[in-house]
Amino acid sequence: MKKKVIVACGGAVATSTIAANKVVELCKKNNIDIEICQIRISEISSNLPADLIVTTSKVKKDYGVPLITGMPFISGVNVEKTEQAILDVLK
């Protein structure tokens, strides 16, 4: 079953592209069928429902969906922990 993953940042261009590519790679390696929705943080509500939200900015709002920060994909710190958290939600 295809999972919908929202990847969001401030402008839906630079950091969300990096994070989205990492999520796609991770899911391909783990045979998880996903649909990526790359958007601005302000557009999250209008793109629900989703199985997971990955953001590269701080988000305080609860969307009722698991939310994981994608900043480790940008900084290179705690990447494995973030990947495992994503897999835990999507498997």
Side-chain angles (χ1 to χ4, degrees), residues 7-80:
V7 181
C9 71
V13 182
T15 59
S16 64
T17 300
I18 294 166
N21 289 340
K22 296 289 188 180
V23 172
V24 168
E25 284 174 30
L26 176 67
C27 289
K28 274 186 186 171
K29 276 194 256 178
N30 289 275
N31 297 313
I32 299 170
D33 190 16
I34 62 163
E35 168 194 347
I36 289 282
C37 182
Q38 189 177 332
I39 56 171
R40 292 180 176 89
I41 297 267
S42 61
E43 299 169 331
I44 292 174
S45 292
S46 61
N47 283 278
L48 294 173
D51 297 287
L52 173 65
I53 300 169
V54 178
T55 66
T56 57
S57 303
K58 289 210 185 285
V59 175
K60 294 180 179 133
K61 186 171 180 182
D62 181 1
Y63 294 97
V65 174
L67 191 145
I68 296 171
T69 180
M71 276 312 291
F73 294 133
I74 311 306
S75 68
V77 177
N78 289 327
V79 173
E80 296 82 12

